[in-house]
């Protein structure tokens, strides 16, 4: 029977008015309602829902742990590669710089340039080289960031900064 079957509805004065088909007892107040899953939640349903929620949150937390661990490993590997590369480049640059300085000093000495002028020329060239290196380091320092790890820890890994 549908709830709009008013021909079979009855009225019971001591209870609120109800226009629904009568139940087997004949009273409208005893009629069966259409029940949804929200109206008929039992304790076991709620317990199961909370267990599922807890399980999903635990899985989400483990996934976040894996993302943070992966980001951390990536940063560690990147740091190791950078340090090894930097050390190699530093050693190579130092040897090359020493060879260039020695060659320029010998060339200036054989050109009969006074020793004090040779020293000033080499100091000037070295100062220019150091200035260029310092500017390069300052420029590259702006690009070093721990934001990927911070984004991974806050659960925002993979999102662009504009979103």
């Amino acid at each position: 029977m549908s709830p709009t079957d008013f021909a079979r509805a009855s009225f019971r004065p001591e209870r609120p008015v109800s226009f629904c088909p009568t139940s087997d007892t004949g009273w409208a107040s005893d009629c069966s309602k259409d029940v949804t899953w929200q109206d008929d939640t039992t304790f076991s349903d709620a317990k199961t829902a909370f267990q599922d929620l807890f399980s999903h949150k635990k899985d989400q937390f483990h996934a976040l742990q894996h993302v943070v661990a992966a980001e951390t490993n990536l940063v560690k590997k990147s740091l190791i590669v950078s340090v090894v590369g930097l050390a190699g480049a530093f050693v190579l640059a130092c040897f090359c710089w020493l060879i260039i300085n020695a060659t320029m000093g010998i060339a200036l000495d054989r050109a009969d340039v006074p020793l004090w002028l040779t020293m000033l020329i080499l100091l000037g060239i070295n100062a220019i080289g150091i200035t260029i290196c310092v500017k390069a380091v300052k420029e590259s320092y702006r690009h070093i960031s721990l934001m990927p790890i911070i984004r991974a820890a806050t659960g925002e890994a993979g999102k662009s900064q504009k979103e």
Side-chain angles (χ1 to χ4, degrees):
M1 270 183 240
S2 68
T4 57
D5 190 6
F6 296 116
R8 299 198 53 206
S10 62
F11 175 71
R12 188 172 188 180
E14 60 268 5
R15 297 204 180 165
V17 176
S18 175
F19 296 105
C20 67
T22 57
S23 64
D24 295 336
T25 61
W27 294 102
S29 62
D30 293 335
C31 68
S32 61
K33 298 179 184 176
D34 290 333
V35 183
T36 63
W37 66 271
Q38 293 99 342
D39 296 332
D40 195 25
T41 304
T42 62
F43 178 75
S44 62
D45 293 338
K47 181 182 171 189
T48 304
F50 280 118
Q51 286 174 339
D52 289 344
L53 173 70
F54 181 71
S55 174
H56 290 302
K57 285 297 180 182
K58 191 166 66 170
D59 291 342
Q60 182 182 12
F61 179 72
H62 288 305
L64 180 63
Q65 278 182 325
H66 290 301
V67 168
V68 170
E71 287 282 344
T72 304
N73 284 335
L74 184 64
V75 168
K76 284 193 300 188
K77 289 177 184 178
S78 173
L79 186 64
I80 289 170
V81 168
S82 297
V83 167
V84 169
L86 181 64
F90 180 74
V91 168
L92 182 63
C94 285
F95 281 120
C96 290
W97 198 255
L98 286 173
I99 291 170
I100 291 170
N101 276 322
T103 304
M104 286 188 317
I106 291 170
L108 290 172
D109 184 54
R110 293 212 177 150
D112 290 329
V113 176
L115 188 58
W116 63 271
L117 187 57
T118 301
M119 183 183 69
L120 285 178
I121 290 172
L122 289 176
L123 281 175
I125 290 173
N126 286 326
I128 291 170
I130 288 173
T131 304
I132 291 170
C133 289
V134 167
K135 284 185 179 181
V137 167
K138 282 185 177 180
E139 181 67 27
S140 64
Y141 183 73
R142 292 185 309 148
H143 301 290
I144 297 172
S145 173
L146 294 177
M147 286 309 294
I149 291 178
I150 294 170
R151 280 194 215 107
T154 59
E156 297 179 3
K159 295 181 181 177
S160 68
Q161 293 175 353
K162 295 180 182 178
E163 289 180 359

